[in-house]
């Protein structure tokens, strides 16, 4: 930018789908190379490491089972936030909505566990969806009514509900028999049944829920009136008004669904792998989901792929810790690098750089 | 509950508030330039690990502070390059910076532990000692006030100094005026010949440096040079909340971080027989209040105490 | 083109600028002399603002050069423009709302030496402004004063004002003009962008007229009059060979009585408009941009609230109904905004999905019924010869003409009773425009009442049965197009009265 040349940025008019995907693939390759260089600097052979990662996540049924368990909440939460993002509503509150669902589900697991398993689990799921949904509608209401900034609001709500879990865990819901301040374990009837998948082994039923929601989201966005409406609102709120759409109602409804799915994740976590209500029920997944949804361009199929990739990375990196003494946080570094590269690559899809000769 | 107890509590509140203040000040100056950076947590992690490494390697508190600041800046540089030059989405970039910074810090920390012979890594005492509270001569001997106000780590004094200087800079200086204009209406600033991108870069970098100092404090003062995984533990996110709570004002941030710090310490200092409110409810309060502040300010539409109007939106001059 | 021997302060040589396929400016050359006021006259979209944005560093010219005091200069940014002494006062003010006047003025300056004191300027130019007032508390004219002060304190020698009078009251305009004259006396050169003839004649020394991105001519104001300027601005009357379908107008379908509409800021956008629209006629709406066309369309469609007056469809009041209800009653609107896609279509969606926008709710059940829309889309593509790689292509990838065909086609498919189209041929070539006119004529023959908001007066004259002229939100005339001339419309648009009024004004 110095000297006689002046870089000049202008918006690109049209880009073909092929160009767009080429650009993204280039960005991914760049990310792999950047990660490789990082590993190289640490004195490792990047090819070996990448291979180990893949092996560590996928080579045995047990590993695949762990990877799938990581993928379930990640994929579902990403699907949830996608509904809101498609409407250009910045829901960074998935974290809190997961907590809300977990609390509601745990309430029934602790206090109404006389019910038979099928009924109890159904009630827990419905309660979780409603609790998560309402928690997410709160910022949506203020947004439509007063224009309150939803990014900051949803962010704040995460902490409030997070501390509420701590309160429950330390106070009213504390297991009187435990030495630590922890909630009791769920009874058998409040735990998700396991399903055997060939090649993977026993995974809790949340896996099926994931596939159902994945397909549901795909159809909802593509083939229903409501999905159509929220897409129009997201693309152009003025056009939505011109077409006579009830914009406020659409925003509230969509946020209920978006947050409801996240709430369901909370139920699946407490009744699945966690078996109790813990502070770490969301564990940053609400934020990772934002990245996944964005990386997948809000496509449900893409979300399935990216959340699988992220789970492989997470599982694979935990493997490297034992094999190579490379800390598992390598997974977060790789995630970061991939996202940075794709974020940067996006620029070259939307803009072009020209040079102008500077005479002065 | 005696008087001494209250003094101890207030003192602890200040200690807990300092890293929050750094993060908050950093984010305020970044948001004032029109960028919402959700990567505070990540930048604090980067600052923490860099200062830890520097303290461990060079055994110098000064270098530790400098390295922490620079590491925060480097994190911010990634963010600035992506959002300002490449116009990437600010929310996603910030979140990614948090993930990345957390990853890098935990990675290096773990790796150090794994490769060290003793299995633990501790910074030498001399570094820690030079960051301990320092007596300011006779001032520190004044009863109560001496203990509360004039008996702190250099980093604490520095944070207050930054808050005051930043307040003066934003409200009294020409550069600060230009900066605020960019956050409110970048095209107006641009039309007046202000180099929007340069301002954004410089202030995002500086803000990142401040966040880095928050990390330094946590690594070397709060944790006394004993590296732990997840050392920042969400304090960066609290700082993002504090920015709203403080209505984007540096001096209010001082009180805000004191209050947030006090609330986080309360459970250790309030005897159960006086007020029996669980600690978690106290912890929740600041965020609930922040929500209220957010809602009320959007209802009242008072223009001054709002987020800078153009915050979160990238600026492109030829946008039509 | 008149000759001048004086050295020019600034010279624009063959400047061109395109946005995509649209040529906003083509080979424009212009000179500005010290101590003069040059008016830049032209209709909406004639390229005035684009030209001035190149002068102030917002846009980069594609070709051509700018010469300042004999030296070729590159203006890469507004900063460069300020350094060169060029100050632009934008139509949409560039002010920081939460700042005071003084803070806005101080923005971007380095120190005391660099800028003049605002207070002494206020005194010498006799301005009425409180420097400590916040911008959000200011009236429009106060904001404008701040804008002027901003550039003057930075020692600008060349001032460009983009439509400075558009938002001012007559009294405020007088004050502004006095200020401009004071500045001219002080040796400043001023360019004022406007489309108001009276103002051109009142304030300027010379006039440069733009038409469709080209410079028509530059004349001395004292040698010009309203008629010659109008003719230059609207272009010579040409026969476009557009047929006007012959129909016998039927019953009154839409009747509007005393319609008044206020904008968001409480400004009057429409002032007591009354007219009727019959089945089987095309009623044209002519007017300078921003005369209330948008408010007219949106209030009929139920999007903008009506302040007073009534709108009736077949005798039933429809003002106050929701946009949805109005669509269901049979009023359809195709509004092509300046960016074309903004309202009415979703760029990222394909043709069938865009067709669904107004009909998707007619089908029962939770699912979208795409099959019907797809069939309609196929028919539409066929009938209107829309050029598209396929039905799955997003409409943003289609050319402008095809986009507009989709939009208009969709509205027509709803078989409305009233069809409102605003700027349906915006940016289209002759061939594509003709298809659109044929579509409108066909609707008219079918007995649809058509309201056609247009820009090109020749088209309005050729196509419409009657034309109503809006001027600053007021209805200034409704004329039978058979008897009207372009000159008459032009004068009505700028709010002038004519001697022969009664002959063709009804």
């Amino acid at each position: 930018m110095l000297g006689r040349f002046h870089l000049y940025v202008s918006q690109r008019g049209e880009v073909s789908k092929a160009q767009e995907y080429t650009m993204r693939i280039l960005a991914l390759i760049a990310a792999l190379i950047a990660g490789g260089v990082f590993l190289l600097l640490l004195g490792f052979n990047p090819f070996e490491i990448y291979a180990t990662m893949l092996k560590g996540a996928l080579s045995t049924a047990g590993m695949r089972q762990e990877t799938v368990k990581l993928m379930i909440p990640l994929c579902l939460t990403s699907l949830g936030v996608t509904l809101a993002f498609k409407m250009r509503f910045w829901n960074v509150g998935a974290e809190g909505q997961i907590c809300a669902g977990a609390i509601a589900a745990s309430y029934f697991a602790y206090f109404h566990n006389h019910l038979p398993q099928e009924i109890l689990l159904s009630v827990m799921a419905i309660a979780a969806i409603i609790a998560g949904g309402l928690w997410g509608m709160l910022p949506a209401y203020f947004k439509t009514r007063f224009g309150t900034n939803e990014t900051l609001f949803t962010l704040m709500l995460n902490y409030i509900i997070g501390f509420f879990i701590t309160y429950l865990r330390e106070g009213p819901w504390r297991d009187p028999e435990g030495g630590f301040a922890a909630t009791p374990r769920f009874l058998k009837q409040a735990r998700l049944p396991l399903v055997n998948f060939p090649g993977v082994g026993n995974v809790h039923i949340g896996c099926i829920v994931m596939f159902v929601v994945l397909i549901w989201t795909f159809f909802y966005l593509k083939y229903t009136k409501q999905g159509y409406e929220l897409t129009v609102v997201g693309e152009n709120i003025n056009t939505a008004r011109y077409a006579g759409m009830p914009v406020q109602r659409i925003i509230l409804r969509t946020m209920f669904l978006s947050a409801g799915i996240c709430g369901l994740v909370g139920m699946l976590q407490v009744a699945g792998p966690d078996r109790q209500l813990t502070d770490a029920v969301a564990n940053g997944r609400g934020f990772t989901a934002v990245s996944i949804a964005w990386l997948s361009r809000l496509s449900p199929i893409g979300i399935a792929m990216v959340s699988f990739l992220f789970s492989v990375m997470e599982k694979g990196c935990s493997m490297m810790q034992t094999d190579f003494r490379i800390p598992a946080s390598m997974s977060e570094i790789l995630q970061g690098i991939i996202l940075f590269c794709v974020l940067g690559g996006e620029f070259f899809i939307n803009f072009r750089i020209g040079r102008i000769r500077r005479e002065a | 509950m005696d008087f001494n107890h209250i003094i101890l509590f207030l003192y602890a509140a200040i200690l807990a508030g300092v890293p929050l203040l750094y993060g908050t000040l950093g984010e305020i100056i970044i948001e004032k330039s029109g960028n919402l950076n959700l990567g505070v947590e990540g930048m604090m992690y980067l600052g923490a690990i860099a200062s830890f490494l520097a303290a461990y390697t060079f055994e110098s508190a000064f270098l530790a502070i400098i390295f922490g600041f620079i590491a925060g800046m480097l994190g911010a540089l990634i963010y600035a390059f992506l959002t300002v030059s490449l116009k990437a989405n600010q929310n996603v970039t910030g979140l990614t910076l948090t993930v990345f910074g957390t990853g890098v810090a935990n990675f290096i920390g773990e790796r150090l532990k794994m490769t060290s012979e003793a299995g633990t890594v501790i910074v030498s005492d001399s570094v820690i000692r030079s960051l301990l509270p320092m007596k300011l001569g006779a001032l520190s001997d004044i009863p109560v006030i001496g203990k509360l106000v004039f008996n702190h780590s250099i980093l604490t004094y520095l944070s207050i100094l930054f808050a005051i200087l930043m307040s003066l800079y934003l409200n009294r200086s020409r550069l600060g005026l230009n900066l605020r204009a960019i956050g409110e209406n970048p095209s107006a600033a641009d039309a007046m010949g202000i180099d929007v991108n340069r301002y954004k870069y410089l202030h995002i970098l500086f803000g990142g440096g401040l966040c880095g100092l928050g990390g330094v404090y946590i690594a070397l003062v709060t944790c006394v040079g004993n590296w732990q995984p997840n050392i920042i533990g969400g304090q960066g996110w609290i700082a993002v909340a504090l920015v709203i709570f403080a209505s984007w004002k540096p001096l209010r941030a001082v009180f805000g971080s004191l209050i947030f710090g006090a609330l986080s310490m309360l459970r250790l200092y309030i005897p159960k027989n006086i007020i029996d409110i669980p600690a978690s409810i106290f912890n929740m309060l600041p965020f609930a209040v922040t929500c209220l502040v957010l809602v009320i300010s959007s209802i009242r539409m008072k223009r001054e105490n709002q987020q800078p109007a153009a915050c979160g939106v990238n600026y492109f001059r030829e946008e039509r | 083109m008149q000759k001048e021997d004086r050295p020019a302060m600034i010279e624009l040589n063959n400047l061109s600028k395109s946005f995509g396929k649209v040529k906003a400016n083509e080979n424009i050359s212009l000179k500005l002399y010290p101590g003069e006021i040059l008016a830049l006259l032209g209709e909406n979209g004639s390229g005035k603002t684009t030209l001035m944005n190149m002068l102030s560093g917002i846009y980069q010219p594609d070709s051509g050069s700018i010469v300042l005091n004999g030296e070729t200069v590159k203006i890469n940014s507004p900063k460069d423009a300020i350094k060169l002494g060029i100050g632009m006062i934008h139509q949409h003010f560039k002010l920081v709302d939460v700042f005071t006047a003084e803070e806005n003025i101080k923005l971007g300056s380095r120190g005391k030496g660099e800028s003049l004191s605002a207070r002494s300027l206020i005194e010498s130019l006799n301005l009425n402004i409180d420097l400590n007032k916040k911008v959000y508390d200011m009236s429009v004219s106060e904001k404008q004063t701040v804008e002027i002060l901003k550039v003057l304190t930075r020692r600008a020698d060349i001032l460009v004002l983009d439509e400075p009078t558009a938002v001012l009251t007559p009294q405020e305009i007088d004050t502004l003009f006095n200020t401009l004259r004071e500045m001219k006396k002080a040796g400043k050169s001023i360019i004022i962008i406007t489309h108001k003839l009276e103002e051109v004649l009142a304030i300027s020394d010379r006039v440069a007229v733009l038409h469709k991105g080209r410079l028509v001519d530059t004349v001395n104001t004292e040698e010009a009059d309203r008629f010659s300027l109008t003719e230059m601005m609207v272009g010579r009357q040409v026969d476009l060979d557009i047929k006007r379908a012959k129909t016998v107008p039927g019953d009154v379908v839409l009747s509007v009585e005393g319609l008044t509409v206020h904008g968001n800021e409480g400004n009057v956008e429409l002032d007591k408009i009354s007219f009727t629209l019959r089945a089987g006629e095309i009623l044209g709406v002519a007017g300078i941009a921003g005369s209330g066309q948008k408010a007219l369309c949106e209030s009929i469609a139920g999007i903008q609230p009506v302040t007073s007056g009534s709108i009736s469809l077949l005798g039933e009041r429809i003002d106050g109904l929701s946009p949805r209800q109005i669509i269901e009653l049979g009023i359809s609107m195709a509004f092509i905004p300046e960016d074309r896609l903004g309202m009415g279509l979703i760029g990222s969606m394909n043709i069938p999905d865009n067709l669904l926008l107004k009909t998707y709710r007619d089908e029962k059940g939770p699912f979208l019924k795409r099959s019907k829309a797809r069939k309609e889309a196929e028919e539409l593509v066929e009938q209107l010869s829309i050029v598209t790689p396929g039905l799955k292509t997003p409409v943003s990838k289609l050319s402008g003409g095809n986009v507009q065909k989709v939009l208009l086609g969709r509205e027509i498919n709803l078989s409305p009773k009233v069809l409102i189209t605003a700027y349906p041929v915006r940016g289209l070539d002759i061939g594509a425009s003709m298809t659109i006119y044929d579509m409108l004529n066909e609707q008219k023959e079918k007995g649809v009442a058509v309201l056609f908001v247009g820009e090109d007066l020749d088209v309005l004259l050729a196509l419409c049965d009657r034309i109503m002229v809006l001027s600053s939100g007021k209805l200034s005339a409704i004329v039978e197009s058979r008897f009207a001339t372009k000159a008459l419309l032009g004068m009505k648009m700028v709010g002038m009265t004519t001697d022969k009024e009664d002959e063709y004004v009804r």
Side-chain angles (χ1 to χ4, degrees), chain A residues 6 8 14-15 222-225 228-229 231-232 235-236 238-239 241-246 356 358, chain C residues 60 76 298 303 333 342-346 348-349 353 356-357 360-361 363 365-368 370 397:
Chain A
H6 175 77
Y8 175 63
E14 285 169 17
V15 190
K222 213 164 173 188
Y223 295 109
T224 68
K225 291 179 179 176
Y228 178 75
E229 283 177 331
T231 312
V232 172
E235 291 284 338
N236 192 327
N238 278 326
T239 300
R241 292 211 176 92
Y242 262 60
M245 290 182 180
I356 290 179
R358 193 176 262 218
Chain C
Q60 304 298 318
N76 285 321
E298 292 198 345
I303 293 156
M333 174 164 67
M343 286 164 265
L345 290 178
I346 297 290
S348 62
M349 290 183 172
D353 278 10
L356 280 170
L357 206 53
Y360 74 97
R361 271 196 283 203
E363 304 283 341
F367 292 102
L368 281 181
R370 277 207 176 77
K397 304 253 183 220

Side-chain angles (χ1 to χ4, degrees), chain B residues 3 17-18 20 77 79 86 121 128 136 146 154 204 216 219 223 228 243 292 300 304-305 317-318:
Chain B
F3 188 65
V18 174
L20 300 178
L77 181 64
Y79 173 86
L86 300 187
V121 196
I128 301 305
L136 293 182
I154 174 92
I204 291 171
V216 174
C223 298
Q228 297 158 11
V243 173
L292 262 164
R300 280 172 55 210
E304 276 83 359
N305 295 338
R317 185 185 289 155
E318 282 203 14

Side-chain angles (χ1 to χ4, degrees), chain A residues 8 11 42 90 142 146 148-149 153 156 159-160 163 167 287 290 321 325-327 329 332 339-340 344 347, chain B residues 82 86 89 91 95-96 103 107 110-111 114 237 241 278 280 283 287 291 294-295 298-299 307 318-319:
Chain A
Y8 175 63
Q11 263 164 324
L42 289 170
W90 278 102
F142 284 101
F146 305 109
T148 311
N149 182 320
F153 202 160
M156 289 310 105
Y159 302 107
I160 295 180
F163 283 118
Y167 161 73
F287 296 124
V290 174
Q321 179 144 8
R325 306 189 29 175
I326 295 179
S329 23
E332 285 163 337
L339 275 156
F340 283 145
F347 172 80
Chain B
L82 288 172
L86 300 187
N89 180 301
N91 286 340
L95 281 172
T96 307
F107 182 91
E110 283 299 297
R111 185 99 187 120
M114 283 178 187
W237 290 112
S280 44
N283 286 334
F287 297 100
C291 270
L294 200 58
V295 170
S298 67
I299 294 174
Q307 190 179 34
E318 282 203 14
E319 199 89 57

Side-chain angles (χ1 to χ4, degrees), chain B residues 34-83:
Chain B
N35 278 57
L36 177 69
N37 186 350
L38 297 179
V40 179
E41 177 94 355
M43 295 184 289
M44 285 172 87
Y45 264 112
L46 290 174
I49 192 67
S51 69
F52 182 79
L53 269 182
Y56 183 65
T57 320
F58 307 121
E59 305 204 345
S60 150
F62 176 72
L63 283 180
I65 292 174
I66 297 296
F67 271 71
F69 191 84
I70 291 176
M73 269 174 52
L74 287 179
L77 181 64
I78 302 176
Y79 173 86
F81 178 66
L82 288 172
T83 59

Side-chain angles (χ1 to χ4, degrees), chain C residues 206-448:
Chain C
R206 292 189 307 135
V207 196
V209 187
L210 294 188
H211 183 64
K212 297 192 171 160
R214 290 169 173 277
L215 181 71
V216 181
D217 201 356
T218 313
V219 293
N220 286 323
T221 309
E222 45 191 42
E223 292 157 18
D225 58 37
R226 305 162 166 196
F227 301 97
S228 63
L229 289 178
T230 312
E231 201 179 68
M232 277 199 275
M233 182 167 85
V234 295
R236 291 193 174 70
Q237 189 154 351
V238 270
D239 190 4
L240 286 175
D241 203 25
I242 302 168
K243 67 171 191 237
R244 186 188 298 129
K246 291 205 170 56
T247 52
V248 183
D251 299 335
V252 170
V253 182
L254 187 77
S255 83
V256 170
E257 281 292 330
L259 178 65
T260 300
V261 173
H262 287 187
N264 283 337
E265 276 107 54
N267 50 318
V268 178
E269 293 192 341
L270 280 183
D271 195 1
K272 300 199 193 78
I273 305 273
S274 301
F275 67 93
T276 57
L277 178 59
R278 290 169 181 278
E281 81 162 344
I282 299 182
L283 174 62
V285 179
I288 300 287
S291 301
Q293 294 95 325
K294 193 173 174 211
L296 179 65
C297 297
E298 292 198 345
S299 56
I300 297 175
I303 293 156
Q304 210 173 342
V306 171
T307 309
S308 65
S310 70
I311 305 170
S312 313
L313 179 73
L314 296 169
E316 301 273 336
R317 288 281 289 266
I318 58 162
D319 47 287
L321 297 185
S322 76
R324 182 79 209 153
Q325 289 167 310
I326 292 174
I327 292 170
E328 275 159 10
L329 286 173
I331 295 187
S332 242
M333 174 164 67
F335 190 104
I336 314 278
E338 272 146 61
D339 61 355
R340 288 198 189 168
L341 285 171
M343 286 164 265
L345 290 178
I346 297 290
S348 62
M349 290 183 172
N350 59 27
I351 299 177
D353 278 10
N354 269 295
L355 293 187
L356 280 170
L357 206 53
K358 286 192 174 165
T359 51
Y360 74 97
R361 271 196 283 203
D362 300 346
E363 304 283 341
K364 287 207 174 94
F367 292 102
L368 281 181
K369 300 266 175 353
R370 277 207 176 77
S371 52
K372 208 173 133 201
R374 215 170 289 136
K375 233 170 87 202
E376 271 179 30
E378 273 167 21
E379 285 165 15
L380 210 62
V381 168
E382 171 85 35
Q383 279 167 14
L384 306 180
S385 31
I386 294 170
V387 182
T388 166
L391 287 184
K392 290 198 166 161
T393 310
V395 294
S396 62
K397 304 253 183 220
L398 305 185
S399 74
N402 291 307
V403 169
Q404 270 138 287
K405 283 182 200 169
V406 173
L407 182 53
L408 200 56
R410 180 185 72 201
E411 300 308 320
I412 289 172
N413 266 353
L414 297 173
S415 2
K417 299 187 182 78
V418 177
L419 178 64
I420 304 170
T421 70
Y423 316 114
V425 296
R426 193 169 243 173
L428 299 191
D429 60 30
I430 298 283
S433 305
M434 282 301 182
T435 320
I436 302 274
Y437 303 140
D438 289 343
M439 285 165 76
L440 293 176
N441 269 324
E442 207 176 290
Q443 290 304 301
K444 173 183 162 185
E445 279 164 353
K446 270 200 199 157
V448 176

